[in-house]
Structure formats: structure tokens, C-alpha cells
């Protein structure tokens, strides 16, 4: 245990230096961590540490915290809107990928039935750690292809459970499959029930108690307890750690604490996720790679192409071609859960050791190339699809003065933009919804994709030099967050905020907002005015 923690500390320290160098060349920090793993493993002769159980547990909790933060963004209400992406796209992708890979492995190459079955299931999974961390850091998760990719990855995370059950069933020999399925279904029902019924109340009470104490360390400790306890509870029932953390995140997403929880947990997630990628690098067998480079590269290219084609076909059923293409390219790699699948299958003698090593190298290489592919995904899709894209460069804005910023392009935002255009006023529109941005582009508006609760976006919009900001959003929490950020960043800018009722007006009363417009009140006043006018 102590030696594993010592080597983790050394590796993370070394990764800081590597990432600082790679950052100058615009290379993803994920690559820096993997390079660190390779370098440390061979420089200090630590190849044996790649299979350390303690190190694997530490590294896995990086994925756990990542899935927890994803859960914070996927509330039950939002999950219900993503049911097509999660359950239809996800299940169809995993099933078709597994069937095709099995057909190739068993029917064409001649691998044994059990080995082909396990290998095909493992190759059908994509990398949650790489793809979701990229989508979150670049805000691409809000785009249509980001939503599709997230939904499929959520289902893949759930699909790990039956895969692990299958390995246990294939190695047990005597146990009936119906008994295994019944026990798993019962465990799932109990765990989800405990988390949503008992855990929801406990989490809400714990977060409320720790937040009212005004002791930051106590709140942080409460969050860590929730994440670890939920993960251990799920693992105890035979599921993955990350699935328990994801459910816990979904529960907290329904509370008012989810934004603070997400910001507090970020350092732990990033540090442990870095550890995970270091262990990925330590698994690279350079000698085997040099010896079998042709075979490994052939398998890698084949897997990437087959998965991309399958995902494209699945997503294209309900989505545009460009969205399906970007989703397919983003998810074409093999996921980190395959390491656990190959390791477990290897221990049970269900997969030959030589094949397992080759497949691990294929997985690692697919993970390594993914950050480069994702970084140039828009350019790649641009070669094939000449479509209207979201304005993200803010190239027209530098030096902009005396303009009005319209925050939100919903129903009210559209009317505001139309009225400003009729008056000949200089204005720009900003929205964090890709759908709304596309609508604005089709309407010929100057629109920018970005979250106005971030100071970097306010800076690019030249908010300090604007006349006023009109906030037309419906979400009260988001409105308050944007108002607070604008007040801190540009306190002299006039804020005009739409509210839908008196409760919202009271909730925003503490902020120095210039004008709040109550939609219902204004409609009532207009109705009375028109009625009196008719009478006269």
C-alpha cells in the first residue's frame, strides 16, 4: 500500500513537468499522463506496479469522481429527456458492436467461443474517462453530438455489469444463468432503492447540515463521504464503483447544492483521473509493441473503423448526418473498463495471456489517439460537411462598444432581438444551448455559443463596454448565477432581467439589478390598458 502511494506521488510529480512541456505544443494533458506512465514504468523498472491492486483502486476512483460529476449534470428529469440516447442508441450500439466483433473473432479468425464472446463485449465499450473529460472541459457536452455521446457512454457504463456477470457465469460452470440474473436484478433494485429513498434524505440532510455550519472542510468531507459510500455500496452489490457514484450525482443534481458540490469535487477528480491515465501508460509493453506492431496496428485500425461505422448508423436513425458522424468518431476508441474485463477473464483462464496483452496494447493506443482526434473533430467533420456552424471565435467583437447583449434566444429572446433590430440598435445574442444558437444562426442573428456565468465569456462579449445586458432565461438559478457574475465583472453595466412571477422577483431582490420585468404583470397591465381603450 505504502509503496503504491509513493510511486503514485512520484508519477504525478513527474507528470506536472511533462504536461508543462506538452502544453506548449497544445497537446492534451491526458497524453502527458500516459507518457508519464510509460516513462516511470521503464525508467524506474516499475512495470510490475501496473498490476498493483492498490494502484488500480486509486486510479479507478478517478473515473468514479468523473462519473459523479456527470451524474450532477444528468438529473432524473434530464435523463428522461435523454432516454433515446441512453437506452435506444446505447443498447443498439453495444449489441450490434458485440455481434459484429463476435462474428469476426469466432467465425472468421477462429478464436474460441468464450474468448470471442468476452473480447467482443469488451471492444464494444468506449472510453468514459477520455471522452467525457474532454466534452466537459471544452463545453462540447452541451452540443448535440456531446449529448448523444454522453447518453451512449452512460448505457455502456451500465452494460459493464452484465459483462462481468457473463465472465462469472462462464467461469463458474455449474451455476444457472437464471439464478445469476435474478440475484443481479434483486441487487440492483435494492441498491437503487436504498440510494434514492434512504440515500436521498441522508445526502440532503448531510449537505444541509455541513453548508449551514459554514465550515468549508466539513462540506468537502460530506461530499467525499457521499461519493465513496455510494461507490462502495454499489461495489458490494457486484456493480461498478462508478455506477454508484453516478447515481449519487443524479440525486444531488435534484438539490440546490449541485453547483457547489461540482466545483468542490473538481480537484479530486482531476488528480485521481490523472492517476488513472498514468496506470494506462504503465500497461504499455514496448517490447511486444515492436515485435507485433503490424498486427496491433491492423487490429487498432479495424476496431476504430468498425465501431465508427456502427455508431454512425445507430445515431443517424434519429439525428442529422453531421451529428452522427461526430458522435461516431468521438466514441470509436475502446474504453478503460476493458482493462478490468481482460484482467478478470485472464484470471479465470477465459482468454489467452498473449491475446490479452495484445488487446491491452490496442486499447491503450486507441485511448492515446483519442485526444488528438477529439481536438480536431470539428475540422475533420468540416471536410465532409459544409454546414452552418456555431460562431465561437468571437472574432467580430474586439473593440465593440455601446452594444446590448441579449442572454438567451428562447421565445422571449427572439422577440427582444426582433425589437432591437427594428430599432436599429447594435446588439449580440449569447446562449449556452446549441439548439438555440443554431436557430439564431438560421434567423441571421449575430450569436455566440457560451455560458454567461463564466467571466471568460463576458470578457469576449465586451460586457464592460456594453450599454446593458438583457437576461431572458427561464431558469431562476441560472439567472441568479449570471447576474452575480456580471455584477462582479462589470458592476456599472445595466442589468434588465425577465422574471415570471413575484417569487422570482423576491429571490433576486438582494442583487443590484437595474430593472426586473414581470411578464405576467406586464401582460395584465397591457390587457387593462387595451380594455379601457376599447371602452373609450
Amino acid at each position: 500500500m505504502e509503496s503504491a502511494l509513493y510511486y503514485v506521488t512520484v508519477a504525478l510529480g513527474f507528470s506536472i513537468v511533462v504536461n508543462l512541456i506538452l502544453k506548449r505544443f497544445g497537446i492534451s494533458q491526458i497524453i502527458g499522463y500516459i507518457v508519464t506512465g510509460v516513462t516511470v514504468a521503464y525508467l524506474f523498472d516499475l512495470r510490475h506496479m501496473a498490476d498493483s491492486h492498490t494502484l488500480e483502486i486509486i486510479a479507478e476512483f478517478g473515473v468514479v469522481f468523473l462519473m459523479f460529476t456527470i451524474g450532477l449534470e444528468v438529473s432524473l428529469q434530464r435523463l428522461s429527456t435523454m432516454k433515446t440516447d441512453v437506452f435506444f442508441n446505447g443498447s443498439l450500439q453495444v449489441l450490434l458492436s458485440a455481434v459484429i466483433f463476435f462474428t469476426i473473432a469466432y467465425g472468421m479468425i477462429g478464436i474460441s467461443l468464450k474468448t470471442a464472446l468476452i473480447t467482443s463485449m469488451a471492444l464494444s465499450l468506449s472510453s468514459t474517462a477520455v471522452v467525457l473529460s474532454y466534452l466537459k472541459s471544452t463545453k462540447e457536452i452541451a452540443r448535440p453530438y456531446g449529448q448523444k455521446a454522453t447518453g451512449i457512454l452512460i448505457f455502456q457504463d451500465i452494460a459493464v455489469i452484465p459483462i462481468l456477470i457473463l465472465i462469472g457465469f462462464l467461469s463458474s460452470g455449474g451455476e444457472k444463468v437464471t439464478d445469476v440474473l435474478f440475484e443481479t436484478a434483486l441487487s440492483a433494485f435494492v441498491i437503487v432503492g436504498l440510494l434514492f429513498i434512504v440515500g436521498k434524505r441522508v445526502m440532503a440532510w448531510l449537505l444541509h447540515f455541513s453548508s449551514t455550519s459554514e465550515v468549508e472542510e466539513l462540506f468537502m468531507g460530506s461530499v467525499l463521504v457521499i461519493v465513496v459510500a455510494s461507490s462502495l455500496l454499489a461495489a458490494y452489490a457486484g456493480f461498478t464503483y462508478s455506477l454508484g457514484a453516478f447515481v449519487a450525482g443524479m440525486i444531488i443534481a435534484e438539490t440546490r447544492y449541485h453547483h457547489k458540490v461540482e466545483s468542490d469535487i473538481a480537484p479530486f477528480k482531476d488528480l485521481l483521473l490523472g492517476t488513472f491515465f498514468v496506470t494506462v501508460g504503465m500497461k504499455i509493453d514496448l517490447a511486444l509493441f515492436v515485435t507485433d506492431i503490424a498486427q496491433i496496428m491492423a487490429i487498432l485500425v479495424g476496431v476504430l473503423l468498425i465501431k465508427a461505422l456502427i455508431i454512425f448508423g445507430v445515431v443517424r436513425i434519429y439525428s442529422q448526418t453531421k451529428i452522427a458522424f461526430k458522435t461516431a468518431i468521438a466514441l470509436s476508441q475502446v474504453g478503460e473498463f476493458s482493462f478490468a474485463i481482460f484482467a478478470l477473464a485472464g484470471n479465470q483462464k477465459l482468454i489467452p495471456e498473449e491475446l490479452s496483452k495484445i488487446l491491452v496494447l490496442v486499447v491503450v493506443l486507441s485511448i492515446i489517439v483519442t485526444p488528438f482526434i477529439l481536438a480536431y473533430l470539428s475540422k475533420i467533420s468540416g471536410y465532409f460537411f459544409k454546414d452552418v456552424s456555431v460562431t465561437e471565435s468571437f472574432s467580430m467583437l474586439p473593440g465593440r462598444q455601446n452594444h446590448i447583449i441579449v442572454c438567451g434566444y428562447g421565445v422571449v429572446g427572439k422577440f427582444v432581438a426582433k425589437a432591437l433590430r427594428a430599432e436599429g440598435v447594435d446588439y449580440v445574442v449569447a446562449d449556452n444551448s446549441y439548439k438555440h444558437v443554431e436557430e439564431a444562426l438560421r434567423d441571421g442573428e449575430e450569436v455566440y455559443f457560451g455560458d454567461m456565468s463564466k467571466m471568460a465569456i463576458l470578457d469576449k462579449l465586451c460586457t464592460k463596454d456594453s450599454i446593458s445586458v438583457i437576461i431572458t432565461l427561464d431558469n431562476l438559478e441560472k439567472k441568479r448565477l449570471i447576474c452575480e457574475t456580471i455584477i462582479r465583472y462589470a458592476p456599472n453595466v445595466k442589468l434588465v432581467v425577465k422574471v415570471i412571477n413575484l417569487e422570482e422577483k423576491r429571490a433576486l431582490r438582494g442583487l443590484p439589478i437595474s430593472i426586473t420585468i414581470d411578464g405576467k404583470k406586464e401582460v395584465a397591465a397591457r390587457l387593462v390598458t387595451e380594455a379601457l381603450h376599447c371602452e373609450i
Side-chain angles (χ1 to χ4, degrees), residues 343-377:
L344 183 60
N347 293 337
Q348 301 295 335
K349 307 300 182 185
L350 295 173
I351 184 169
E353 185 179 353
E354 187 69 18
L355 177 60
S356 178
K357 287 182 177 180
I358 290 174
L359 290 175
V360 165
L361 269 175
V362 170
V363 175
V364 171
L365 290 173
S366 75
I367 288 176
I368 288 174
V369 300
T370 298
F372 294 105
I373 293 172
L374 293 174
Y376 294 97
L377 186 55

Side-chain angles (χ1 to χ4, degrees), residues 170-231:
L170 291 174
S171 60
S172 64
E175 198 170 0
K176 292 182 179 179
V177 68
T178 52
D179 294 339
V180 175
L181 291 174
F182 176 75
E183 290 173 9
T184 304
L186 183 63
S187 298
F189 179 78
V190 171
I191 293 301
V192 173
L194 281 173
L195 286 173
F196 273 98
I197 297 172
V198 180
K200 187 174 183 178
R201 290 178 172 80
V202 172
M203 289 179 202
W205 173 83
L206 190 59
L207 292 174
H208 174 73
F209 172 76
S210 57
S211 63
T212 53
S213 69
E214 297 184 358
V215 179
E216 285 295 319
E217 292 81 2
L218 185 59
F219 188 85
M220 178 75 75
S222 300
V223 174
L224 293 176
V225 166
I226 289 170
V227 177
V228 175
S230 302
S231 303

Side-chain angles (χ1 to χ4, degrees), residues 471-488:
I471 300 175
T472 68
L473 304 176
D474 292 325
N475 187 297
L476 173 60
E477 193 171 330
K478 195 67 180 174
K479 272 190 284 198
R480 185 176 182 87
L481 195 61
I482 290 171
C483 287
E484 288 173 347
T485 307
I486 292 173
I487 290 163
R488 286 197 305 272

Side-chain angles (χ1 to χ4, degrees), residues 161-175:
I161 299 161
I163 295 173
L164 296 177
I165 292 169
L166 175 66
I167 293 173
F169 175 72
L170 291 174
S171 60
S172 64
E175 198 170 0

Side-chain angles (χ1 to χ4, degrees), residues 399-404 425-427 462 465-468:
R400 197 72 160 266
Q401 292 182 334
N402 301 323
H403 58 294
I404 292 176
V425 177
D426 184 21
Y427 71 96
C462 300
D465 297 318
S466 66
I467 298 173
S468 63

Side-chain angles (χ1 to χ4, degrees), residues 406-441:
V406 180
C407 178
Y409 198 72
V411 176
V412 176
K414 290 175 183 175
F415 283 118
V416 170
K418 185 178 180 181
L420 290 172
R421 186 166 59 249
E423 293 290 331
V425 177
D426 184 21
Y427 71 96
V428 296
V429 178
D431 203 305
N432 201 34
S433 166
Y434 188 86
K435 178 185 174 183
H436 289 164
V437 171
E438 284 193 321
E439 288 178 5
L441 285 170

Side-chain angles (χ1 to χ4, degrees), residues 177-401:
V177 68
T178 52
D179 294 339
V180 175
L181 291 174
F182 176 75
E183 290 173 9
T184 304
L186 183 63
S187 298
F189 179 78
V190 171
I191 293 301
V192 173
L194 281 173
L195 286 173
F196 273 98
I197 297 172
V198 180
K200 187 174 183 178
R201 290 178 172 80
V202 172
M203 289 179 202
W205 173 83
L206 190 59
L207 292 174
H208 174 73
F209 172 76
S210 57
S211 63
T212 53
S213 69
E214 297 184 358
V215 179
E216 285 295 319
E217 292 81 2
L218 185 59
F219 188 85
M220 178 75 75
S222 300
V223 174
L224 293 176
V225 166
I226 289 170
V227 177
V228 175
S230 302
S231 303
L232 292 176
L233 185 64
Y236 180 77
F239 304 113
T240 59
Y241 289 110
S242 57
L243 191 64
F246 175 74
V247 174
M250 286 177 61
I251 294 170
I252 294 178
E254 305 288 338
T255 71
R256 64 177 183 273
Y257 305 105
H258 69 280
H259 289 302
K260 179 170 174 55
V261 169
E262 185 174 11
S263 62
D264 285 355
I265 212 75
F268 294 93
K269 180 202 72 176
D270 295 338
L271 184 65
L272 291 170
L273 203 55
T275 307
F276 166 78
F277 288 117
V278 169
T279 61
V280 169
M282 294 176 72
K283 291 178 185 292
I284 295 178
D285 189 335
L286 293 178
L288 181 63
F289 176 71
V290 172
T291 305
D292 297 324
I293 185 169
Q295 183 182 7
I296 291 168
M297 295 307 294
I299 296 172
L300 174 64
V301 173
V303 169
L304 292 176
L305 285 175
I306 291 169
K307 282 190 74 174
L309 288 171
I310 293 168
I311 296 169
F312 175 81
V314 169
V315 177
R316 183 65 185 85
I317 296 173
Y318 289 114
S319 303
Q320 296 174 5
T321 306
K322 185 176 181 179
I323 295 171
F325 178 83
K326 294 179 77 172
T327 307
I329 299 299
L331 298 179
S332 59
Q333 77 292 128
V334 186
E336 59 279 345
F337 285 120
S338 59
F339 295 133
I341 294 169
F342 293 143
L344 183 60
N347 293 337
Q348 301 295 335
K349 307 300 182 185
L350 295 173
I351 184 169
E353 185 179 353
E354 187 69 18
L355 177 60
S356 178
K357 287 182 177 180
I358 290 174
L359 290 175
V360 165
L361 269 175
V362 170
V363 175
V364 171
L365 290 173
S366 75
I367 288 176
I368 288 174
V369 300
T370 298
F372 294 105
I373 293 172
L374 293 174
Y376 294 97
L377 186 55
S378 295
K379 289 185 178 180
I380 294 170
S381 64
Y383 286 122
F384 298 95
F385 306 97
K386 304 299 179 183
D387 199 358
V388 179
S389 61
V390 178
T391 305
E392 291 179 299
S393 63
F394 296 89
S395 56
M396 296 173 67
L397 284 175
R400 197 72 160 266
Q401 292 182 334

